[in-house]
Amino acid sequence: MRRPGFHHRQPGKPGGGGGAVKGTVGRLSIAVVVLMICTIAFLINFTSNDSTGSVSRSKLNVEELWESADSGGWRPSSAPRSEWLPPSIGSNGFLRVRCNGGLNQQRTAICNAVLAARIMNATLVLPELDANSFWHDDSGFHGIYDVEHFIKALKYDVNIVESIPEIKKNGKTKKIKALQIRPPRDASVSWYTTEALKKMKEHGAIYLTPFSHRLAEEIDNPEYQRLRCRVNYHALRFKPQIMRLSQSIVDKLRTQGHFMSIHLRFEMDMLAFAGCFDIFTPAQQRILKKYRDDNFAPKKLIYNERRAIGKCPLTPEEVGLILRALGFDNSTRIYLAAGELFGGEKFMKPFRSLFPHLENHNSVEQTDELAGNTQGLLGSAVDYMVCLLSDIFMPTYDGPSNFANNLLGHRLYYGFRTTLRPDRKGLAPIFIDRENGKTAGFEEAVKKVMLQTNFGGPHKRIPPESFYTNPWPECFCQMSPKNPADRCPPNNVLEILNDQLESQNEKELRNDTESSNVLNSSVSAEER
């Protein structure tokens, strides 16, 4: 029977073995060549960046992780690269939105609101932040963000007002009443240019509520996506006191060198969402089940099955074991960004024994302001900034976690800062084997899985990864690109946008003056 891929050897002449030997040598030579080609191809694929920017490594020097990831020649840029007209003074109406959820869900909604206003040529009313039942925080946009900077930073994109102005009609002064609409989830651009715009023109203003995930993330328009980045990474700046507080914490953490931040998502809401109950006491399981019944749709969830496919949040001990396997020692300083961990000291003790230098915003910066707002928007804003500025960031559950997802995208934009993203599905069988007593080769197995993950460099966005988690390549550019679409905008792009804005304002002012003159002439003619 012939073996595929090889030529069948012809039998040698009777009494002579030379043909057989030559045939054998020939087959061995071909096999060696094929083996060498496969080996070289494997090594090239394993050690180099592919077209998506994803990196696989054969070894890892933990000291390298304290530095930013390889940029591959890319740098952040969200400035327009094609014609981008400034917003018209005469808009189609006013857009109000109510951003529900926590700080980072609201942040995403604000980006979407600006884009929706641009799509409809609408004047955006400063977004409302929902004081929901979880946060119990009514700080509002003014209490968290720098409003003046927000409006100024987006002047080339949309017109923004703090409230709907009053109008005079029939000699009376009144405020336009916005029509309340519930937009569909992940609504398309066409919904805004048809349904929403139609209602806006009819009523003068619309009020979209709730406004979480109400605009599709994947839009086939790079300029629209870049606008989202301008909002998220430039316009949305926290108030000065929040920035000072965050920088003070970072400075104190850096007095002893590098530090990493970890979003330890081992909290009641996430554990209940994931259906991961079995490791807790019967009383704790009842609490989790009740929380799930009250807040999530009914669904049969079996712990062992969920755990085996990486659907459970990592325990604090598992986080510590991953870091140890990567080479971090017990001198590593770690900032914990998390709410109240579920299960208490039983779960934190093993982690603390591995990494005793654990901090949070209250332990580093003991202020009355933070102490009274631990679970509010202020505490979340400070955690966000400290995690953004940390040398390494590690999310332990980046599925439906808006905090982790937004930070991953922001750190990418902030200069490809190192992130450690555990592959929970790949790690699950390794941790399960360890629990069953199979500890041989544990650290090497963990390291092997982690070496296949991305460490914060540019990489292709593949669903379900969010645009807010990975805005590459739309919000990045190259000085010497292979693809002209990736070329960086000119250095004077802001001057160009400013000239366009001034030119348009002068034109619209001139048109308004001419219209006013025509109206006055008509009135004079009627009087005559």
Side-chain angles (χ1 to χ4, degrees), residues 132-192:
N132 57 55
S133 56
F134 178 79
W135 289 104
H136 300 293
D137 192 322
D138 58 359
S139 302
F141 201 103
H142 284 86
I144 297 296
Y145 296 109
D146 185 334
V147 174
E148 184 179 350
H149 174 78
F150 179 74
I151 295 173
K152 184 178 179 181
L154 296 171
K155 66 179 181 180
Y156 304 119
D157 304 302
V158 291
N159 291 315
I160 303 173
V161 295
E162 295 199 34
S163 62
I164 297 179
E166 295 180 335
I167 61 169
K168 286 187 176 182
K169 190 173 182 180
N170 300 326
K172 295 182 179 179
T173 301
K174 65 176 184 177
K175 184 173 288 188
I176 300 172
K177 186 176 181 180
L179 175 70
Q180 184 169 323
I181 304 174
R182 184 185 181 91
R185 188 176 177 86
D186 298 321
S188 65
V189 170
S190 63
W191 183 84
Y192 284 92

Side-chain angles (χ1 to χ4, degrees), residues 256-271:
Q256 298 182 38
H258 296 299
F259 79 96
M260 75 165 63
S261 58
I262 297 178
H263 189 221
L264 201 55
R265 202 67 171 91
F266 198 71
E267 300 166 287
M268 181 170 63
D269 62 327
M270 195 53 64
L271 290 162

Side-chain angles (χ1 to χ4, degrees), residues 185-385:
R185 188 176 177 86
D186 298 321
S188 65
V189 170
S190 63
W191 183 84
Y192 284 92
T193 57
T194 54
E195 298 295 322
L197 185 57
K198 179 183 176 183
K199 296 295 184 183
M200 178 178 285
K201 288 182 175 179
E202 287 177 2
H203 297 269
I206 57 174
Y207 181 34
L208 303 184
T209 178
F211 198 72
S212 173
H213 307 292
R214 302 295 156 166
L215 177 58
E217 284 193 9
E218 292 300 329
I219 297 176
D220 190 21
N221 184 327
E223 293 297 3
Y224 282 172
Q225 300 293 59
R226 283 191 273 273
L227 174 55
R228 278 172 158 156
C229 289
R230 290 199 290 280
V231 181
N232 208 6
Y233 309 134
H234 295 281
L236 276 177
R237 188 167 70 188
F238 293 120
K239 290 177 71 68
Q241 61 264 38
I242 295 176
M243 301 295 277
R244 286 194 296 270
L245 196 56
S246 304
Q247 189 62 57
S248 175
I249 292 174
V250 170
D251 291 342
K252 290 178 180 178
L253 289 169
R254 284 235 170 87
T255 55
Q256 298 182 38
H258 296 299
F259 79 96
M260 75 165 63
S261 58
I262 297 178
H263 189 221
L264 201 55
R265 202 67 171 91
F266 198 71
E267 300 166 287
M268 181 170 63
D269 62 327
M270 195 53 64
L271 290 162
F273 171 82
C276 300
F277 304 156
D278 291 30
I279 58 175
F280 298 100
T281 66
Q284 291 169 337
Q285 288 186 38
R286 287 193 292 272
I287 294 172
L288 290 173
K289 287 176 181 177
K290 184 179 186 307
Y291 188 94
R292 178 169 181 84
D293 291 341
D294 292 344
N295 294 280
F296 303 111
K299 187 177 181 180
K300 186 177 181 181
L301 300 174
I302 300 174
Y303 171 74
N304 290 337
E305 294 178 359
R306 303 284 289 173
R307 175 83 192 288
I309 58 174
K311 292 296 184 182
C312 290
L314 295 170
T315 67
E317 182 181 21
E318 288 170 344
V319 173
L321 291 171
I322 292 170
L323 294 177
R324 275 299 179 89
L326 291 175
F328 294 98
D329 60 31
N330 63 3
S331 68
T332 306
R333 292 176 66 79
I334 297 175
Y335 179 88
L336 293 180
E340 184 177 354
L341 269 67
F342 192 78
E345 187 60 22
K346 171 189 173 182
F347 291 95
M348 275 304 295
K349 188 175 180 180
F351 184 35
R352 191 175 286 108
S353 67
L354 291 169
F355 295 95
H357 300 289
L358 301 180
E359 306 281 4
N360 59 34
H361 56 233
N362 282 324
S363 67
V364 180
E365 192 79 20
Q366 297 179 359
T367 66
D368 293 339
E369 190 177 16
L370 270 176
N373 200 265
T374 303
Q375 291 294 320
L377 293 175
L378 173 62
S380 184
V382 169
D383 278 348
Y384 185 94
M385 286 307 303

